[in-house]
PDB file of all heavy atoms in Angstrom:
ATOM      1  N   LEU A   1     -10.495 -13.367  23.115  1.00 92.00           N
ATOM      2  CA  LEU A   1     -10.495 -14.367  24.181  1.00 92.00           C
ATOM      3  C   LEU A   1      -9.664 -13.889  25.372  1.00 92.00           C
ATOM      4  O   LEU A   1     -10.099 -13.979  26.530  1.00 92.00           O
ATOM      5  CB  LEU A   1      -9.946 -15.696  23.655  1.00 92.00           C
ATOM      6  CG  LEU A   1      -9.782 -16.815  24.669  1.00 92.00           C
ATOM      7  CD1 LEU A   1     -11.132 -17.306  25.142  1.00 92.00           C
ATOM      8  CD2 LEU A   1      -8.977 -17.953  24.063  1.00 92.00           C
ATOM      9  N   VAL A   2      -8.487 -13.359  25.112  1.00 91.00           N
ATOM     10  CA  VAL A   2      -7.626 -12.869  26.182  1.00 91.00           C
ATOM     11  C   VAL A   2      -8.272 -11.688  26.891  1.00 91.00           C
ATOM     12  O   VAL A   2      -8.268 -11.608  28.126  1.00 91.00           O
ATOM     13  CB  VAL A   2      -6.227 -12.510  25.627  1.00 91.00           C
ATOM     14  CG1 VAL A   2      -5.396 -11.775  26.657  1.00 91.00           C
ATOM     15  CG2 VAL A   2      -5.515 -13.762  25.156  1.00 91.00           C
ATOM     16  N   ARG A   3      -8.857 -10.767  26.147  1.00 92.00           N
ATOM     17  CA  ARG A   3      -9.523  -9.613  26.749  1.00 92.00           C
ATOM     18  C   ARG A   3     -10.701 -10.040  27.609  1.00 92.00           C
ATOM     19  O   ARG A   3     -10.903  -9.534  28.714  1.00 92.00           O
ATOM     20  CB  ARG A   3     -10.029  -8.656  25.669  1.00 92.00           C
ATOM     21  CG  ARG A   3      -8.985  -7.738  25.118  1.00 92.00           C
ATOM     22  CD  ARG A   3      -9.555  -6.776  24.130  1.00 92.00           C
ATOM     23  NE  ARG A   3     -10.464  -5.851  24.806  1.00 92.00           N
ATOM     24  CZ  ARG A   3     -11.263  -5.016  24.167  1.00 92.00           C
ATOM     25  NH1 ARG A   3     -11.290  -4.999  22.861  1.00 92.00           N
ATOM     26  NH2 ARG A   3     -12.031  -4.204  24.831  1.00 92.00           N
ATOM     27  N   ARG A   4     -11.498 -10.942  27.106  1.00 92.00           N
ATOM     28  CA  ARG A   4     -12.734 -11.347  27.794  1.00 92.00           C
ATOM     29  C   ARG A   4     -12.447 -12.192  29.037  1.00 92.00           C
ATOM     30  O   ARG A   4     -12.982 -11.941  30.102  1.00 92.00           O
ATOM     31  CB  ARG A   4     -13.634 -12.095  26.824  1.00 92.00           C
ATOM     32  CG  ARG A   4     -14.981 -12.484  27.406  1.00 92.00           C
ATOM     33  CD  ARG A   4     -15.848 -13.239  26.413  1.00 92.00           C
ATOM     34  NE  ARG A   4     -15.230 -14.510  26.031  1.00 92.00           N
ATOM     35  CZ  ARG A   4     -14.833 -14.820  24.811  1.00 92.00           C
ATOM     36  NH1 ARG A   4     -14.981 -13.949  23.829  1.00 92.00           N
ATOM     37  NH2 ARG A   4     -14.280 -15.986  24.540  1.00 92.00           N
ATOM     38  N   GLN A   5     -11.584 -13.177  28.903  1.00 92.00           N
ATOM     39  CA  GLN A   5     -11.366 -14.120  29.999  1.00 92.00           C
ATOM     40  C   GLN A   5     -10.390 -13.592  31.054  1.00 92.00           C
ATOM     41  O   GLN A   5     -10.631 -13.767  32.243  1.00 92.00           O
ATOM     42  CB  GLN A   5     -10.839 -15.456  29.450  1.00 92.00           C
ATOM     43  CG  GLN A   5     -11.804 -16.168  28.544  1.00 92.00           C
ATOM     44  CD  GLN A   5     -13.041 -16.662  29.281  1.00 92.00           C
ATOM     45  OE1 GLN A   5     -13.009 -16.923  30.467  1.00 92.00           O
ATOM     46  NE2 GLN A   5     -14.134 -16.788  28.552  1.00 92.00           N
ATOM     47  N   LEU A   6      -9.313 -12.985  30.637  1.00 89.00           N
ATOM     48  CA  LEU A   6      -8.301 -12.526  31.591  1.00 89.00           C
ATOM     49  C   LEU A   6      -8.537 -11.108  32.070  1.00 89.00           C
ATOM     50  O   LEU A   6      -7.898 -10.663  33.029  1.00 89.00           O
ATOM     51  CB  LEU A   6      -6.902 -12.646  30.977  1.00 89.00           C
ATOM     52  CG  LEU A   6      -6.466 -14.042  30.557  1.00 89.00           C
ATOM     53  CD1 LEU A   6      -5.067 -14.013  29.984  1.00 89.00           C
ATOM     54  CD2 LEU A   6      -6.547 -15.000  31.734  1.00 89.00           C
ATOM     55  N   LYS A   7      -9.394 -10.364  31.365  1.00 89.00           N
ATOM     56  CA  LYS A   7      -9.706  -8.976  31.712  1.00 89.00           C
ATOM     57  C   LYS A   7      -8.434  -8.125  31.838  1.00 89.00           C
ATOM     58  O   LYS A   7      -8.197  -7.459  32.844  1.00 89.00           O
ATOM     59  CB  LYS A   7     -10.531  -8.919  32.995  1.00 89.00           C
ATOM     60  CG  LYS A   7     -11.892  -9.560  32.829  1.00 89.00           C
ATOM     61  CD  LYS A   7     -12.704  -9.462  34.069  1.00 89.00           C
ATOM     62  CE  LYS A   7     -14.075 -10.056  33.960  1.00 89.00           C
ATOM     63  NZ  LYS A   7     -14.327 -11.143  33.108  1.00 89.00           N
ATOM     64  N   VAL A   8      -7.613  -8.198  30.801  1.00 88.00           N
ATOM     65  CA  VAL A   8      -6.380  -7.422  30.727  1.00 88.00           C
ATOM     66  C   VAL A   8      -6.421  -6.539  29.485  1.00 88.00           C
ATOM     67  O   VAL A   8      -7.244  -6.740  28.588  1.00 88.00           O
ATOM     68  CB  VAL A   8      -5.135  -8.345  30.666  1.00 88.00           C
ATOM     69  CG1 VAL A   8      -4.967  -9.110  31.949  1.00 88.00           C
ATOM     70  CG2 VAL A   8      -5.199  -9.280  29.483  1.00 88.00           C
ATOM     71  N   MET A   9      -5.536  -5.556  29.451  1.00 88.00           N
ATOM     72  CA  MET A   9      -5.409  -4.728  28.251  1.00 88.00           C
ATOM     73  C   MET A   9      -4.579  -5.478  27.227  1.00 88.00           C
ATOM     74  O   MET A   9      -3.589  -6.130  27.572  1.00 88.00           O
ATOM     75  CB  MET A   9      -4.751  -3.394  28.577  1.00 88.00           C
ATOM     76  CG  MET A   9      -5.650  -2.449  29.319  1.00 88.00           C
ATOM     77  SD  MET A   9      -4.972  -0.792  29.353  1.00 88.00           S
ATOM     78  CE  MET A   9      -5.125  -0.341  27.648  1.00 88.00           C
ATOM     79  N   THR A  10      -4.979  -5.375  25.983  1.00 90.00           N
ATOM     80  CA  THR A  10      -4.270  -6.083  24.919  1.00 90.00           C
ATOM     81  C   THR A  10      -3.673  -5.085  23.935  1.00 90.00           C
ATOM     82  O   THR A  10      -4.217  -4.007  23.715  1.00 90.00           O
ATOM     83  CB  THR A  10      -5.218  -7.028  24.169  1.00 90.00           C
ATOM     84  OG1 THR A  10      -6.332  -6.288  23.688  1.00 90.00           O
ATOM     85  CG2 THR A  10      -5.698  -8.137  25.085  1.00 90.00           C
ATOM     86  N   LEU A  11      -2.557  -5.479  23.353  1.00 90.00           N
ATOM     87  CA  LEU A  11      -1.873  -4.691  22.349  1.00 90.00           C
ATOM     88  C   LEU A  11      -1.617  -5.601  21.163  1.00 90.00           C
ATOM     89  O   LEU A  11      -1.078  -6.696  21.329  1.00 90.00           O
ATOM     90  CB  LEU A  11      -0.546  -4.156  22.895  1.00 90.00           C
ATOM     91  CG  LEU A  11       0.309  -3.422  21.878  1.00 90.00           C
ATOM     92  CD1 LEU A  11       0.454  -1.978  22.285  1.00 90.00           C
ATOM     93  CD2 LEU A  11       1.661  -4.066  21.780  1.00 90.00           C
ATOM     94  N   SER A  12      -2.030  -5.158  19.985  1.00 92.00           N
ATOM     95  CA  SER A  12      -1.804  -5.946  18.773  1.00 92.00           C
ATOM     96  C   SER A  12      -0.927  -5.157  17.823  1.00 92.00           C
ATOM     97  O   SER A  12      -1.099  -3.953  17.650  1.00 92.00           O
ATOM     98  CB  SER A  12      -3.128  -6.270  18.084  1.00 92.00           C
ATOM     99  OG  SER A  12      -3.886  -7.129  18.878  1.00 92.00           O
ATOM    100  N   ILE A  13      -0.011  -5.875  17.188  1.00 91.00           N
ATOM    101  CA  ILE A  13       0.914  -5.267  16.238  1.00 91.00           C
ATOM    102  C   ILE A  13       0.779  -6.017  14.926  1.00 91.00           C
ATOM    103  O   ILE A  13       0.823  -7.246  14.895  1.00 91.00           O
ATOM    104  CB  ILE A  13       2.361  -5.365  16.739  1.00 91.00           C
ATOM    105  CG1 ILE A  13       2.478  -4.746  18.127  1.00 91.00           C
ATOM    106  CG2 ILE A  13       3.315  -4.689  15.772  1.00 91.00           C
ATOM    107  CD1 ILE A  13       3.763  -5.068  18.816  1.00 91.00           C
ATOM    108  N   GLY A  14       0.596  -5.273  13.843  1.00 90.00           N
ATOM    109  CA  GLY A  14       0.470  -5.906  12.541  1.00 90.00           C
ATOM    110  C   GLY A  14       1.035  -5.037  11.445  1.00 90.00           C
ATOM    111  O   GLY A  14       1.187  -3.834  11.596  1.00 90.00           O
ATOM    112  N   ASP A  15       1.311  -5.683  10.306  1.00 88.00           N
ATOM    113  CA  ASP A  15       1.905  -4.940   9.193  1.00 88.00           C
ATOM    114  C   ASP A  15       1.154  -5.102   7.881  1.00 88.00           C
ATOM    115  O   ASP A  15       1.584  -4.574   6.863  1.00 88.00           O
ATOM    116  CB  ASP A  15       3.361  -5.352   8.995  1.00 88.00           C
ATOM    117  CG  ASP A  15       3.502  -6.807   8.576  1.00 88.00           C
ATOM    118  OD1 ASP A  15       2.526  -7.562   8.687  1.00 88.00           O
ATOM    119  OD2 ASP A  15       4.604  -7.178   8.132  1.00 88.00           O
ATOM    120  N   GLY A  16       0.046  -5.807   7.892  1.00 86.00           N
ATOM    121  CA  GLY A  16      -0.649  -6.029   6.627  1.00 86.00           C
ATOM    122  C   GLY A  16      -2.155  -6.057   6.793  1.00 86.00           C
ATOM    123  O   GLY A  16      -2.700  -5.909   7.883  1.00 86.00           O
ATOM    124  N   ALA A  17      -2.836  -6.282   5.677  1.00 88.00           N
ATOM    125  CA  ALA A  17      -4.297  -6.297   5.675  1.00 88.00           C
ATOM    126  C   ALA A  17      -4.852  -7.463   6.481  1.00 88.00           C
ATOM    127  O   ALA A  17      -5.951  -7.373   7.034  1.00 88.00           O
ATOM    128  CB  ALA A  17      -4.811  -6.370   4.237  1.00 88.00           C
ATOM    129  N   ASN A  18      -4.097  -8.558   6.591  1.00 89.00           N
ATOM    130  CA  ASN A  18      -4.585  -9.708   7.353  1.00 89.00           C
ATOM    131  C   ASN A  18      -4.542  -9.462   8.859  1.00 89.00           C
ATOM    132  O   ASN A  18      -5.079 -10.250   9.624  1.00 89.00           O
ATOM    133  CB  ASN A  18      -3.782 -10.963   7.006  1.00 89.00           C
ATOM    134  CG  ASN A  18      -2.308 -10.797   7.286  1.00 89.00           C
ATOM    135  OD1 ASN A  18      -1.811  -9.686   7.455  1.00 89.00           O
ATOM    136  ND2 ASN A  18      -1.601 -11.904   7.336  1.00 89.00           N
ATOM    137  N   ASP A  19      -3.937  -8.369   9.313  1.00 91.00           N
ATOM    138  CA  ASP A  19      -3.854  -8.054  10.732  1.00 91.00           C
ATOM    139  C   ASP A  19      -4.874  -7.010  11.179  1.00 91.00           C
ATOM    140  O   ASP A  19      -4.929  -6.670  12.357  1.00 91.00           O
ATOM    141  CB  ASP A  19      -2.446  -7.540  11.071  1.00 91.00           C
ATOM    142  CG  ASP A  19      -1.381  -8.566  10.798  1.00 91.00           C
ATOM    143  OD1 ASP A  19      -1.638  -9.758  11.057  1.00 91.00           O
ATOM    144  OD2 ASP A  19      -0.292  -8.192  10.320  1.00 91.00           O
ATOM    145  N   VAL A  20      -5.694  -6.508  10.275  1.00 93.00           N
ATOM    146  CA  VAL A  20      -6.619  -5.423  10.595  1.00 93.00           C
ATOM    147  C   VAL A  20      -7.624  -5.839  11.656  1.00 93.00           C
ATOM    148  O   VAL A  20      -7.865  -5.105  12.620  1.00 93.00           O
ATOM    149  CB  VAL A  20      -7.324  -4.918   9.316  1.00 93.00           C
ATOM    150  CG1 VAL A  20      -8.464  -3.982   9.655  1.00 93.00           C
ATOM    151  CG2 VAL A  20      -6.329  -4.219   8.409  1.00 93.00           C
ATOM    152  N   SER A  21      -8.224  -7.011  11.539  1.00 93.00           N
ATOM    153  CA  SER A  21      -9.225  -7.427  12.526  1.00 93.00           C
ATOM    154  C   SER A  21      -8.597  -7.620  13.901  1.00 93.00           C
ATOM    155  O   SER A  21      -9.220  -7.315  14.920  1.00 93.00           O
ATOM    156  CB  SER A  21      -9.918  -8.705  12.066  1.00 93.00           C
ATOM    157  OG  SER A  21      -8.987  -9.752  11.913  1.00 93.00           O
ATOM    158  N   MET A  22      -7.374  -8.098  13.962  1.00 93.00           N
ATOM    159  CA  MET A  22      -6.673  -8.263  15.235  1.00 93.00           C
ATOM    160  C   MET A  22      -6.365  -6.904  15.858  1.00 93.00           C
ATOM    161  O   MET A  22      -6.549  -6.714  17.063  1.00 93.00           O
ATOM    162  CB  MET A  22      -5.373  -9.039  15.003  1.00 93.00           C
ATOM    163  CG  MET A  22      -4.486  -9.145  16.207  1.00 93.00           C
ATOM    164  SD  MET A  22      -2.904  -9.925  15.863  1.00 93.00           S
ATOM    165  CE  MET A  22      -2.158  -8.770  14.727  1.00 93.00           C
ATOM    166  N   ILE A  23      -5.941  -5.951  15.052  1.00 94.00           N
ATOM    167  CA  ILE A  23      -5.620  -4.612  15.541  1.00 94.00           C
ATOM    168  C   ILE A  23      -6.872  -3.933  16.082  1.00 94.00           C
ATOM    169  O   ILE A  23      -6.851  -3.279  17.122  1.00 94.00           O
ATOM    170  CB  ILE A  23      -4.956  -3.776  14.430  1.00 94.00           C
ATOM    171  CG1 ILE A  23      -3.552  -4.307  14.162  1.00 94.00           C
ATOM    172  CG2 ILE A  23      -4.915  -2.305  14.780  1.00 94.00           C
ATOM    173  CD1 ILE A  23      -2.876  -3.699  12.957  1.00 94.00           C
ATOM    174  N   GLN A  24      -7.985  -4.100  15.382  1.00 95.00           N
ATOM    175  CA  GLN A  24      -9.220  -3.471  15.826  1.00 95.00           C
ATOM    176  C   GLN A  24      -9.817  -4.151  17.048  1.00 95.00           C
ATOM    177  O   GLN A  24     -10.537  -3.520  17.809  1.00 95.00           O
ATOM    178  CB  GLN A  24     -10.231  -3.455  14.683  1.00 95.00           C
ATOM    179  CG  GLN A  24      -9.840  -2.505  13.576  1.00 95.00           C
ATOM    180  CD  GLN A  24     -10.790  -2.554  12.397  1.00 95.00           C
ATOM    181  OE1 GLN A  24     -11.516  -3.511  12.214  1.00 95.00           O
ATOM    182  NE2 GLN A  24     -10.768  -1.502  11.590  1.00 95.00           N
ATOM    183  N   ALA A  25      -9.528  -5.422  17.272  1.00 94.00           N
ATOM    184  CA  ALA A  25     -10.051  -6.136  18.437  1.00 94.00           C
ATOM    185  C   ALA A  25      -9.289  -5.793  19.709  1.00 94.00           C
ATOM    186  O   ALA A  25      -9.820  -5.941  20.801  1.00 94.00           O
ATOM    187  CB  ALA A  25     -10.011  -7.639  18.191  1.00 94.00           C
ATOM    188  N   ALA A  26      -8.064  -5.318  19.597  1.00 94.00           N
ATOM    189  CA  ALA A  26      -7.232  -5.023  20.762  1.00 94.00           C
ATOM    190  C   ALA A  26      -7.562  -3.649  21.340  1.00 94.00           C
ATOM    191  O   ALA A  26      -8.178  -2.804  20.684  1.00 94.00           O
ATOM    192  CB  ALA A  26      -5.761  -5.080  20.368  1.00 94.00           C
ATOM    193  N   ASP A  27      -7.136  -3.442  22.589  1.00 93.00           N
ATOM    194  CA  ASP A  27      -7.305  -2.134  23.214  1.00 93.00           C
ATOM    195  C   ASP A  27      -6.417  -1.093  22.538  1.00 93.00           C
ATOM    196  O   ASP A  27      -6.836   0.037  22.328  1.00 93.00           O
ATOM    197  CB  ASP A  27      -6.959  -2.210  24.700  1.00 93.00           C
ATOM    198  CG  ASP A  27      -7.957  -3.049  25.471  1.00 93.00           C
ATOM    199  OD1 ASP A  27      -9.163  -2.810  25.325  1.00 93.00           O
ATOM    200  OD2 ASP A  27      -7.528  -3.956  26.204  1.00 93.00           O
ATOM    201  N   VAL A  28      -5.196  -1.482  22.238  1.00 92.00           N
ATOM    202  CA  VAL A  28      -4.250  -0.602  21.554  1.00 92.00           C
ATOM    203  C   VAL A  28      -3.739  -1.341  20.331  1.00 92.00           C
ATOM    204  O   VAL A  28      -3.284  -2.470  20.429  1.00 92.00           O
ATOM    205  CB  VAL A  28      -3.071  -0.219  22.472  1.00 92.00           C
ATOM    206  CG1 VAL A  28      -2.086   0.662  21.728  1.00 92.00           C
ATOM    207  CG2 VAL A  28      -3.556   0.468  23.727  1.00 92.00           C
ATOM    208  N   GLY A  29      -3.838  -0.690  19.181  1.00 94.00           N
ATOM    209  CA  GLY A  29      -3.365  -1.289  17.946  1.00 94.00           C
ATOM    210  C   GLY A  29      -2.216  -0.496  17.366  1.00 94.00           C
ATOM    211  O   GLY A  29      -2.263   0.731  17.309  1.00 94.00           O
ATOM    212  N   ILE A  30      -1.187  -1.205  16.945  1.00 94.00           N
ATOM    213  CA  ILE A  30      -0.017  -0.568  16.335  1.00 94.00           C
ATOM    214  C   ILE A  30       0.157  -1.138  14.943  1.00 94.00           C
ATOM    215  O   ILE A  30       0.228  -2.354  14.762  1.00 94.00           O
ATOM    216  CB  ILE A  30       1.253  -0.813  17.177  1.00 94.00           C
ATOM    217  CG1 ILE A  30       1.083  -0.201  18.556  1.00 94.00           C
ATOM    218  CG2 ILE A  30       2.469  -0.230  16.484  1.00 94.00           C
ATOM    219  CD1 ILE A  30       2.233  -0.464  19.490  1.00 94.00           C
ATOM    220  N   GLY A  31       0.195  -0.253  13.971  1.00 93.00           N
ATOM    221  CA  GLY A  31       0.396  -0.659  12.592  1.00 93.00           C
ATOM    222  C   GLY A  31       1.808  -0.341  12.141  1.00 93.00           C
ATOM    223  O   GLY A  31       2.331   0.737  12.425  1.00 93.00           O
ATOM    224  N   ILE A  32       2.400  -1.273  11.438  1.00 92.00           N
ATOM    225  CA  ILE A  32       3.742  -1.080  10.897  1.00 92.00           C
ATOM    226  C   ILE A  32       3.613  -0.884   9.401  1.00 92.00           C
ATOM    227  O   ILE A  32       3.107  -1.755   8.701  1.00 92.00           O
ATOM    228  CB  ILE A  32       4.648  -2.287  11.206  1.00 92.00           C
ATOM    229  CG1 ILE A  32       4.726  -2.513  12.715  1.00 92.00           C
ATOM    230  CG2 ILE A  32       6.037  -2.082  10.618  1.00 92.00           C
ATOM    231  CD1 ILE A  32       5.474  -3.763  13.099  1.00 92.00           C
ATOM    232  N   SER A  33       4.046   0.271   8.931  1.00 88.00           N
ATOM    233  CA  SER A  33       3.986   0.524   7.492  1.00 88.00           C
ATOM    234  C   SER A  33       5.120  -0.223   6.825  1.00 88.00           C
ATOM    235  O   SER A  33       6.254  -0.210   7.288  1.00 88.00           O
ATOM    236  CB  SER A  33       4.080   2.027   7.211  1.00 88.00           C
ATOM    237  OG  SER A  33       5.284   2.542   7.702  1.00 88.00           O
ATOM    238  N   GLY A  34       4.784  -0.882   5.751  1.00 75.00           N
ATOM    239  CA  GLY A  34       5.815  -1.676   5.092  1.00 75.00           C
ATOM    240  C   GLY A  34       5.411  -2.069   3.698  1.00 75.00           C
ATOM    241  O   GLY A  34       4.624  -1.390   3.039  1.00 75.00           O
ATOM    242  N   GLN A  35       5.925  -3.221   3.271  1.00 75.00           N
ATOM    243  CA  GLN A  35       5.705  -3.681   1.913  1.00 75.00           C
ATOM    244  C   GLN A  35       4.303  -4.245   1.716  1.00 75.00           C
ATOM    245  O   GLN A  35       3.845  -4.370   0.585  1.00 75.00           O
ATOM    246  CB  GLN A  35       6.742  -4.748   1.573  1.00 75.00           C
ATOM    247  CG  GLN A  35       8.157  -4.207   1.604  1.00 75.00           C
ATOM    248  CD  GLN A  35       9.175  -5.317   1.406  1.00 75.00           C
ATOM    249  OE1 GLN A  35       8.843  -6.484   1.389  1.00 75.00           O
ATOM    250  NE2 GLN A  35      10.435  -4.926   1.261  1.00 75.00           N
ATOM    251  N   ASP A  36       3.632  -4.620   2.794  1.00 75.00           N
ATOM    252  CA  ASP A  36       2.308  -5.214   2.663  1.00 75.00           C
ATOM    253  C   ASP A  36       1.193  -4.191   2.501  1.00 75.00           C
ATOM    254  O   ASP A  36       0.029  -4.561   2.463  1.00 75.00           O
ATOM    255  CB  ASP A  36       2.006  -6.082   3.894  1.00 75.00           C
ATOM    256  CG  ASP A  36       2.908  -7.301   3.947  1.00 75.00           C
ATOM    257  OD1 ASP A  36       3.468  -7.664   2.897  1.00 75.00           O
ATOM    258  OD2 ASP A  36       3.037  -7.882   5.031  1.00 75.00           O
ATOM    259  N   GLY A  37       1.522  -2.930   2.474  1.00 76.00           N
ATOM    260  CA  GLY A  37       0.513  -1.900   2.284  1.00 76.00           C
ATOM    261  C   GLY A  37       0.262  -1.102   3.547  1.00 76.00           C
ATOM    262  O   GLY A  37       0.960  -1.238   4.542  1.00 76.00           O
ATOM    263  N   MET A  38      -0.759  -0.265   3.486  1.00 87.00           N
ATOM    264  CA  MET A  38      -1.047   0.650   4.584  1.00 87.00           C
ATOM    265  C   MET A  38      -2.338   0.299   5.323  1.00 87.00           C
ATOM    266  O   MET A  38      -2.818   1.095   6.116  1.00 87.00           O
ATOM    267  CB  MET A  38      -1.144   2.075   4.026  1.00 87.00           C
ATOM    268  CG  MET A  38       0.140   2.596   3.428  1.00 87.00           C
ATOM    269  SD  MET A  38       1.440   2.816   4.638  1.00 87.00           S
ATOM    270  CE  MET A  38       0.865   4.255   5.473  1.00 87.00           C
TER     271      MET A  38
END
Protein backbone atom coordinates (compact mmCIF):
# COMPACT_ATOMS: atom_id res chain seq x y z
CA LEU A 1 0.00 0.00 0.00
CA VAL A 2 2.77 2.44 0.90
CA ARG A 3 4.75 1.60 -2.25
CA ARG A 4 1.73 1.89 -4.54
CA GLN A 5 0.05 4.99 -3.13
CA LEU A 6 2.99 7.10 -1.94
CA LYS A 7 5.43 5.95 -4.64
CA VAL A 8 8.35 5.79 -2.20
CA MET A 9 11.06 3.23 -1.57
CA THR A 10 10.28 0.86 1.26
CA LEU A 11 12.53 -1.02 3.64
CA SER A 12 11.31 -3.99 5.65
CA ILE A 13 13.10 -5.57 8.58
CA GLY A 14 12.16 -8.96 9.96
CA ASP A 15 13.55 -11.77 12.05
CA GLY A 16 11.26 -14.72 11.45
CA ALA A 17 9.24 -16.74 8.98
CA ASN A 18 6.18 -14.52 9.52
CA ASP A 19 8.13 -11.56 8.07
CA VAL A 20 9.11 -13.19 4.76
CA SER A 21 6.18 -11.83 2.72
CA MET A 22 6.79 -8.32 4.08
CA ILE A 23 10.51 -8.51 3.26
CA GLN A 24 9.80 -9.70 -0.26
CA ALA A 25 7.18 -6.98 -0.85
CA ALA A 26 9.61 -4.17 0.05
CA ASP A 27 12.21 -2.60 -2.21
CA VAL A 28 14.95 -3.45 0.28
CA GLY A 29 14.61 -6.31 2.73
CA ILE A 30 16.77 -6.85 5.79
CA GLY A 31 16.73 -10.12 7.65
CA ILE A 32 17.89 -10.47 11.23
CA SER A 33 19.26 -13.88 12.10
CA GLY A 34 18.10 -14.98 15.47
CA GLN A 35 16.15 -17.47 17.50
CA ASP A 36 13.22 -17.56 15.09
CA GLY A 37 15.25 -19.25 12.37
CA MET A 38 16.84 -18.23 9.11
